[in-house]
Amino acid sequence: MEILAFGVQADEKPLIESAFAGRHEIRCLSVFLDEDTAPIAAGHEIISTSVNADLNPRVLQTLAAGGTQLIAQRSTGFNNIDLDVAERLGLTVARVSSYSPYSVAEFAWTLAMAVNRRIVRAATRTRDFDFRLDGLMGRDLRGRTVGVLGTGKIGEAFTRIAHGFGMRLLGWDVTENPACVELGMTYVPKDQLLAESDLVTLHVPLMPATQRLIDADALKVMKDDAILVNSSRGGLIDTAALVAELREGRFTGVGLDVYEAEAGLFFLDKSLEAVDDDTLARLVTFPNVLVTSHQAYYTEDAVGQIIEATVRNVLDYTEGRRSENVLVPRS
């Protein structure tokens, strides 16, 4: 059986091909799955998709009509898949329920430190042999307060690093994580966390209840000199509201690895095109903002675990098993 994998990055391709060797044939495509590319899947019972695939009702209908029966998504998030429509069409959907939390937690800290210590500005200057320190002053994080929104596996990993920095720990989640409490974290209401934190980091999933969790009102509660980091999902932040606050000169730094309208942009080379997203274009002009391309998960360890889980999902499907990774079971 040939499996068709959409949205495969160049670094990812040899890992996927090696993982499936001797099990199933796999054809890797760099294009992402959307309404234009869905017809390519015709005749493939199993496809694999990336986090930036668009599996809306029309795409799912095209897949089902072409004979697809399993969608194996190579990510934890699945807000890009209309699960109700998939179930109605008889499609089985599986995801990767977990992978290395350290990949994302460590990258979130990388963003925080980069904007705090003005690393990008400093590196750009030194390439031009400009070694002045003007505008490069940062702050010690030891003794300051970090607010962690979402204290699951990734939030816990971030908290452990913050504890190592000697920071005061505040958390917000629907349930408390005993490991975080043991580290000294105090759980507080969201507004209190935002008001007291010098560094705010987001590690919650994107769902209706968390859509634009950080909206205009939440941003106004935050300290004027706070640092905001989002390495989870772009839809957690109202980006237009964030731009409005940045225009007022607020926030020491903002580090974003995700963007609410990233589909069709991230993972692609748009350097020779005119980007028509005015909000993103304005966002990247602020000197205290660092935007990266949804790469927090992108380590050898995490990607390897994602691929291994995807292989298991395919084998479970072909051999009639069901695991915790299945979002929509086989009908």
Side-chain angles (χ1 to χ4, degrees):
M1 181 186 303
E2 182 182 72
I3 299 164
L4 192 62
F6 287 90
V8 177
Q9 303 297 313
D11 296 331
E12 189 182 12
K13 182 178 178 181
L15 298 177
I16 291 178
E17 291 176 340
S18 175
F20 276 97
R23 291 168 167 151
H24 292 286
E25 293 182 21
I26 187 159
R27 182 155 62 100
C28 296
L29 304 179
S30 60
V31 297
F32 296 99
L33 178 63
D34 56 24
E35 292 184 28
D36 292 329
T37 60
I40 301 173
H44 291 85
E45 181 180 345
I46 300 174
I47 67 165
S48 178
T49 58
S50 64
V51 68
N52 267 14
D54 180 7
L55 287 103
N56 64 41
R58 287 186 294 274
V59 170
L60 294 171
Q61 289 165 4
T62 300
L63 293 175
T68 297
Q69 296 183 37
L70 171 66
I71 298 168
Q73 177 137 302
R74 304 187 307 280
S75 72
T76 299
F78 53 90
N79 55 285
N80 60 321
I81 308 173
D82 192 321
L83 297 180
D84 291 335
V85 173
E87 183 174 15
R88 191 162 63 247
L89 293 170
L91 294 167
T92 301
V93 180
R95 62 157 178 166
V96 176
S97 57
S98 65
Y99 56 86
S100 168
Y102 310 107
S103 60
V104 179
E106 291 173 5
F107 193 85
W109 268 104
T110 301
L111 289 175
M113 295 303 295
V115 296
N116 177 40
R117 301 306 301 269
R118 322 295 187 191
I119 298 300
V120 175
R121 182 185 298 179
T124 301
R125 281 186 185 179
T126 55
R127 285 182 178 178
D128 293 330
F129 295 93
D130 178 352
F131 299 102
R132 293 172 300 156
L133 298 183
D134 298 346
L136 300 182
M137 183 174 288
R139 296 181 294 178
D140 288 2
L141 293 180
R142 182 176 178 81
R144 287 189 160 84
T145 299
V146 61
V148 184
L149 293 160
T151 56
K153 292 181 180 179
I154 296 174
E156 179 187 330
F158 187 97
T159 300
R160 291 188 182 280
I161 300 173
H163 179 263
F165 270 84
M167 301 187 74
R168 174 186 176 224
L169 309 174
L170 297 181
W172 176 86
D173 210 327
V174 291
T175 58
E176 296 185 4
N177 184 334
C180 292
V181 173
E182 187 176 346
L183 289 169
M185 174 173 280
T186 301
Y187 281 82
V188 296
K190 185 183 75 170
D191 281 357
Q192 181 181 344
L193 180 150
L194 295 175
E196 297 182 10
S197 296
D198 300 291
L199 166 60
V200 174
T201 182
L202 307 181
H203 299 292
V204 299
L206 181 62
M207 56 184 65
T210 60
Q211 183 76 36
R212 294 193 171 180
L213 182 70
I214 304 300
D215 57 11
D217 292 337
L219 290 165
K220 291 186 183 303
V221 172
M222 293 175 62
K223 293 182 177 182
D224 287 344
D225 61 353
I227 293 171
L228 174 63
V229 173
N230 186 12
S231 58
S232 184
R233 287 292 182 269
L236 297 175
I237 296 178
D238 182 339
T239 315
L242 176 60
V243 168
E245 295 300 314
L246 288 165
R247 287 171 63 91
E248 296 297 319
R250 300 191 64 220
F251 306 132
T252 290
V254 175
L256 304 175
D257 185 52
V258 287
Y259 173 60
E260 62 180 333
E262 69 182 52
L265 288 172
F266 282 23
F267 303 144
L268 299 172
D269 181 3
K270 296 288 184 178
S271 60
L272 299 179
E273 302 177 25
V275 176
D276 58 5
D277 188 325
D278 293 338
T279 302
L280 179 60
R282 184 70 182 91
L283 187 65
V284 299
T285 65
F286 291 104
N288 57 334
V289 174
L290 175 57
V291 179
T292 52
S293 53
H294 205 141
Q295 68 183 81
Y297 78 98
Y298 206 54
T299 66
E300 291 180 4
D301 310 82
V303 172
Q305 292 166 13
I306 289 169
I307 293 171
E308 288 174 5
T310 301
V311 172
R312 289 197 302 271
N313 289 342
V314 169
L315 295 178
D316 285 346
Y317 168 83
T318 58
E319 296 171 13
R321 296 188 299 267
R322 178 177 173 181
S323 73
E324 72 280 358
N325 288 342
V326 175
L327 298 170
V328 178
R330 190 171 191 171
S331 57

